[in-house]
Amino acid sequence: MPMKTLITALLLGAATLGQAAAIDPYGYKLPPSMQPKKKAAPAAKKKGPPPIDYAGEFVNFGDWKEVRAFLDDVATRDGFDRAELNTLMGQVRYVDAAVQLVKPAPPGKPKNWQAYSRLIVDPVRIDNGVKFWNDNREALERAEALYGVPAEILVGILGVETVYGRNTGRFRVVDALTTLAFSYPEAPQRAERMAFFRGELEATLLFARQNGIDPLSLRGSFAGAIGMPQFMPSSLMKYAVDFDGSGKVDLLNSGVDAIGSVAAFLVAHGWQRELGGPLVYAAAVSPNRAWESMTNQGLSAKYRPQELTAAGVSTTVPVPEQQTYGLVDLQNGAEPTEYWLANNNFFAITQYNRSYFYAMSVVELGRAVRLARGGM
């Protein structure tokens, strides 16, 4: 067989044998068309967050010394049957997901109000807010007349909290609260946080008894917040109202009760009917930074307009001279910080959630819903 024919045969044979090698037995490199085709590696699947374990695991809390002491105190203080508390605790589960979720987020990107706002003041919340407002117009008007809280603020809070009842939480409240009350993660204020959650666990037991419901039937957030407005159990006991006249408070299913309860909470935490007008005014600050000491002054309005003007803070529209204001700074990552003058009603919202971002998102969402309904 001529050499050329032999080489051709060998090349074709190599190709026919599944194209198993890039070089034939004699060292000839196969042409590109005959090179073995590499299988494309499967695209790596993006790993999302692990699924949340809402159910937890049984750890026999009743054997824990601190739990037994707590149950003794509750039985004595509130008149609960100790054996019934033992039976209840025998059904409570440890929820590690609550422990993980309550930990502060690791240091990361700088705070960014505009990014946060885009997540909260979104089309889903606005569309659902319009429907909620239309469906509950009478209750919102009645709450505004009785408590002095504008409808848009009530709509804003319920939208930010649970998208009007769509996301009220899937944890058993007693499980989450017991876990955090006795197994809170290491933190500088661990003892204080555990004491807080023990108080909320006791409030849950009292609320369930008062309303004739099984405490294990209550569902809520990883921190034990309940219903459309995400009231902690102690707030539910203090501020929730039967605004629909049904004879019971139902913050899970009654939007009307949720409306009245949020309004009652705000009034109890400093909302002032007589302030009226906008809660915030866009502000500009001077380069001399004399105003800098006015930021981070807590959750209250303490400065007169004249003081703010003297420190180099200005607004595009006049602000009511008789009110006091706080200088709110909303950081925007690498972009310039936004500054606002906020009155006491803005800071009443921060008593619901101690965050400027939270209170401002309530204001912005409520305004967006009002405008989407055709309001001015």
Side-chain angles (χ1 to χ4, degrees):
M1 180 183 294
M3 181 59 68
K4 182 176 180 180
T5 304
L6 175 62
I7 292 173
T8 302
L10 289 170
L11 291 175
L12 292 172
T16 304
L17 290 172
Q19 298 178 340
I23 300 175
D24 81 340
Y26 294 92
Y28 286 89
K29 188 175 182 181
L30 298 175
S33 63
M34 300 174 69
Q35 290 280 348
K37 300 293 190 294
K38 293 182 179 180
K39 291 185 177 180
K45 293 184 178 179
K46 291 184 178 179
K47 289 185 177 180
I52 294 175
D53 177 12
Y54 296 99
E57 60 181 318
F58 179 70
V59 297
N60 201 359
F61 277 113
D63 283 346
W64 295 19
K65 179 181 177 181
E66 296 85 354
V67 175
R68 293 199 304 270
F70 169 78
L71 296 179
D72 287 341
D73 289 344
V74 168
T76 301
R77 183 166 50 246
D78 302 320
F80 283 100
D81 182 274
R82 186 65 172 79
E84 291 181 0
L85 291 178
N86 281 344
T87 300
L88 172 67
M89 200 54 58
Q91 302 173 70
V92 175
R93 301 175 74 86
Y94 176 89
V95 186
D96 184 66
V99 175
Q100 301 308 318
L101 289 168
V102 83
K103 292 178 180 178
K109 295 180 180 179
K111 291 182 178 180
N112 190 318
W113 157 245
Q114 290 297 333
Y116 178 91
S117 175
R118 284 193 295 271
L119 291 175
I120 300 298
V121 188
D122 66 338
V124 171
R125 282 187 170 86
I126 294 172
D127 291 345
N128 280 274
V130 169
K131 183 179 186 307
F132 182 84
W133 194 326
N134 291 338
D135 291 345
N136 295 278
R137 182 178 54 82
E138 184 275 334
L140 289 164
E141 291 174 353
R142 184 157 51 92
E144 185 165 350
L146 181 62
Y147 295 103
V149 182
E152 65 188 80
I153 298 300
L154 302 174
V155 169
I157 286 178
L158 293 172
V160 172
E161 289 292 340
T162 62
V163 195
Y164 312 101
R166 292 179 62 177
N167 305 317
T168 57
R170 294 168 55 187
F171 292 90
R172 284 200 316 188
V173 169
V174 172
D175 291 345
L177 291 177
T178 303
T179 299
L180 297 176
F182 299 101
S183 189
Y184 197 87
E186 290 299 327
Q189 295 181 314
R190 182 172 186 259
E192 291 86 346
R193 298 305 296 164
M194 290 172 70
F196 168 78
F197 284 109
R198 291 178 193 187
E200 295 302 327
L201 178 56
E202 183 174 2
T204 302
L205 300 176
L206 289 168
F207 174 77
R209 182 177 67 180
Q210 177 179 307
N211 290 274
I213 60 178
D214 178 1
L216 294 174
S217 70
L218 294 169
R219 292 287 197 278
S221 75
F222 68 87
I226 297 170
M228 290 188 198
Q230 292 290 274
F231 272 14
M232 292 301 289
S234 62
S235 291
L236 199 157
M237 292 285 289
K238 293 176 185 176
Y239 309 113
V241 296
D242 174 21
F243 207 52
D244 64 8
S246 67
K248 65 176 182 178
V249 172
D250 183 0
L251 297 187
L252 187 61
N253 301 299
S254 172
V256 175
D257 282 359
I259 288 166
S261 298
V262 171
F265 180 97
L266 290 175
V267 169
H269 288 83
W271 187 276
Q272 300 174 40
R273 176 197 299 269
E274 61 273 14
L275 290 184
L279 278 63
V280 292
Y281 297 83
V285 293
S286 65
N288 64 21
R289 306 190 74 82
W291 46 267
E292 197 164 32
S293 63
M294 294 177 165
T295 61
N296 300 314
Q297 289 297 307
L299 304 178
S300 63
K302 59 180 65 175
Y303 299 108
R304 294 285 178 187
Q306 299 90 331
E307 297 174 279
L308 290 157
T309 300
V313 181
S314 59
T315 55
T316 55
V317 296
V319 300
E321 292 289 330
Q322 69 276 17
Q323 295 183 24
T324 53
Y325 302 89
L327 182 58
V328 171
D329 55 333
L330 301 179
Q331 299 169 36
N332 277 316
E335 299 300 317
T337 296
E338 291 182 27
Y339 294 92
W340 297 79
L341 294 190
N343 69 15
N344 271 307
N345 284 346
F346 176 91
F347 290 105
I349 299 173
T350 66
Q351 300 306 308
Y352 207 104
N353 183 311
R354 301 173 69 82
S355 162
Y356 289 166
F357 277 22
Y358 176 86
M360 195 67 180
S361 68
V362 167
V363 172
E364 291 291 335
L365 178 59
R367 177 176 179 272
V369 174
R370 172 170 54 81
L371 293 175
R373 293 184 73 244
M376 296 300 292

